[in-house]
Amino acid sequence: MRDRLISFPVILAMLGGSALSVLALAAEPPDARDVVDVERQVVDVPPEIRHWFHNTDGSCVQCSIGMCGVDQNVPEAATLLWDTEYGRAERGGSYPSRVAKYCRERGIRVYNVTGKKTWDWMRWAMETGRGAAIGAGRAHFQTLVGYDADSGTWYVCNNNSPRKIDSYSEQDFRRLHLASGQWVVILDYPPHPARPVYRKWWTED
């Protein structure tokens, strides 16, 4: 399987782990040819399902990736927290090389990005209808679920309180991401299908 670890120079300490020096590799997000509207940008996972990914043991990276896995119908990623046919449970703190390792073992295609380019990748994810597991808050990972470019509002689901969605201004979101260290994980799979639009077509002229 092709390794999608994409990283830039950064010293990153996550979730109580030791600092990790990440090797620099130049890369850009793919072209956003399948740009979608705001309605489809938001991760479409109801609160009761998001609650499956409530972080109780410091597994915030896997919780964040798992939520994206449910949204994009990638069971190998959705089940990271549990022992399943796709692999053993991955619990506890993570860092880029650990994510790369268990994704290879489970056959999960990911963009595993650190450094200044994370901002471009987060916008690409939103433009193409994908969620993103992102560094957000001190030593914490959360799920980026939407972005409204008109108002400059970012929408994030915190796995410490996964039933609600938090909103951030551009400035507040920047502080949130920088507090953790610039690291994002995006599943390299199609986004979820567009939500259906219901109308009484038989009554229309």
Side-chain angles (χ1 to χ4, degrees):
M1 190 190 88
R2 183 164 48 148
D3 189 353
R4 293 296 187 111
L5 176 62
I6 302 171
S7 51
F8 300 86
V10 64
I11 301 298
L12 181 66
M14 285 298 300
L15 310 176
S18 58
L20 174 69
S21 179
V22 182
L23 179 65
L25 297 172
E28 298 291 338
D31 291 337
R33 294 190 181 94
D34 52 343
V35 173
V36 296
D37 60 23
V38 172
E39 178 69 7
R40 193 175 164 200
Q41 288 176 22
V42 179
V43 170
D44 192 15
V45 179
E48 62 272 19
I49 305 303
R50 296 199 304 265
H51 190 68
W52 294 355
F53 302 95
H54 186 203
N55 179 28
T56 60
D57 61 359
S59 302
C60 60
V61 174
Q62 291 80 252
C63 292
S64 303
I65 297 172
M67 206 177 296
C68 294
V70 168
D71 185 62
Q72 292 177 246
N73 193 27
V74 184
E76 297 89 343
T79 59
L80 276 171
L81 292 169
W82 302 282
D83 291 321
T84 68
E85 62 190 274
Y86 302 107
R88 64 179 179 82
E90 298 289 347
R91 294 278 180 170
S94 278
Y95 36 87
S97 61
R98 183 186 177 197
V99 169
K101 181 176 184 293
Y102 62 61
C103 285
R104 282 195 298 268
E105 291 173 349
R106 284 177 170 244
I108 304 170
R109 302 193 312 271
V110 295
Y111 298 106
N112 188 12
V113 185
T114 64
K116 294 180 180 179
K117 289 292 184 179
T118 57
W119 306 95
D120 294 336
W121 282 90
M122 287 187 288
R123 283 190 167 83
W124 174 80
M126 297 294 96
E127 288 172 358
T128 58
R130 294 166 172 83
I134 67 170
R138 186 175 181 275
H140 193 39
F141 239 58
Q142 303 183 41
T143 305
L144 177 61
V145 300
Y147 175 59
D148 182 349
D150 291 336
S151 64
T153 304
W154 296 84
Y155 298 94
V156 179
C157 181
N158 187 341
N159 44 70
N160 288 336
S161 52
R163 291 185 182 272
K164 68 175 185 172
I165 303 296
D166 301 314
S167 61
Y168 296 89
S169 66
E170 294 278 11
Q171 184 177 11
D172 289 341
F173 182 74
R174 182 171 183 80
R175 281 197 293 264
L176 183 77
H177 187 50
L178 290 175
S180 174
Q182 297 170 114
W183 176 25
V184 303
V185 179
I186 302 168
L187 298 178
D188 180 22
Y189 296 86
H192 68 256
R195 295 181 180 88
V197 176
Y198 301 97
R199 55 189 178 87
K200 294 182 178 180
W201 55 267
W202 58 92
T203 65
E204 298 176 359
D205 294 330

